[in-house]
Amino acid sequence: MTVALRSPNLLGALIPVDNAPVDASLKSDFRKYLQGMREIEEAGVTKQAEADQILQKYEDALPIRQFLMTNLVKTPQSKSLALRIPIKTLASSLSKMGDFPFKNPDEAQYKGPTLFVRGTNSHYVADEFLPVIGRFFPKFIIREIDCGHWVISEQPEAFRHGKATT
């Protein structure tokens, strides 16, 4: 959304997934995910299965654990998996991760086609945000998928095939 508002000429269309152009408070789950990622880092795991074993203490849902593990990469200098984004960077940025840099829709708009996809069990694109979405993105439409915030991880086929519930 930020790229679309800063440089609209770079995009032909936009699809924000379960995010709205507002400052949002993150659910408390994010702190526990950081704890799990820190534990993975400290354990020096070498396989995704080992990382998943650790994350099971912090998250029950496999699709969410799989999404979290996309931050793990093999590095040439070590046999263990490392975090693509260092844990210190994630931890220090957590309080601002839900912030949106634009506050005034009269100063920036993206007038290209915009499809907002939201999870029906998520609070990040609430009905109360629809007016401000329309001001930043006047050609928006919204589709809902029966899931939480992690739309692509929780319902990848529904997302890929555009099988919205509304």
Side-chain angles (χ1 to χ4, degrees):
M1 289 183 290
T2 300
V3 170
L5 294 172
R6 282 195 179 134
S7 303
N9 58 315
L10 296 178
L11 301 173
L14 178 66
I15 304 176
V17 179
D18 211 54
N19 283 290
V22 297
D23 289 342
S25 59
L26 300 179
K27 287 176 56 181
S28 60
D29 293 349
F30 286 87
R31 286 234 180 270
K32 73 177 181 179
Y33 297 154
L34 284 178
Q35 291 172 336
M37 298 305 272
R38 184 173 285 121
E39 187 175 335
I40 288 169
E41 191 173 65
E42 291 168 357
V45 302
T46 58
K47 298 177 182 155
Q48 291 265 339
E50 296 168 341
D52 186 50
Q53 202 65 27
I54 292 170
L55 284 177
Q56 287 178 32
K57 294 187 271 184
Y58 300 93
E59 176 57 55
D60 293 331
L62 177 61
I64 295 173
R65 294 195 314 269
Q66 289 172 328
F67 175 79
L68 294 171
M69 288 187 292
T70 63
N71 193 34
L72 297 172
V73 293
K74 286 235 184 227
T75 59
Q77 60 271 31
S78 171
K79 292 185 181 195
S80 55
L81 294 172
L83 295 170
R84 185 183 321 265
I85 301 171
I87 197 76
K88 287 182 181 178
T89 302
L90 288 170
S92 66
S93 302
L94 195 59
S95 65
K96 295 180 181 157
M97 219 172 273
D99 292 353
F100 190 69
F102 292 90
K103 307 302 180 209
N104 186 347
D106 296 327
E107 294 175 3
Q109 282 189 335
Y110 175 70
K111 295 182 180 175
T114 306
L115 170 63
F116 276 81
V117 179
R118 68 178 173 180
T120 55
N121 300 318
S122 173
H123 72 279
Y124 290 106
V125 186
D127 287 345
E128 66 195 59
F129 301 149
L130 296 180
V132 75
I133 289 171
R135 290 184 62 211
F136 277 117
F137 304 97
K139 292 185 179 177
F140 89 98
I141 59 173
I142 193 155
R143 294 289 182 262
E144 295 178 342
I145 295 179
D146 188 21
C147 60
H149 172 64
W150 309 93
V151 177
I152 298 168
S153 295
E154 292 178 46
Q155 294 287 350
E157 291 304 311
F159 179 80
R160 189 175 6 261
H161 297 294
K163 293 182 179 171
T165 55
T166 62

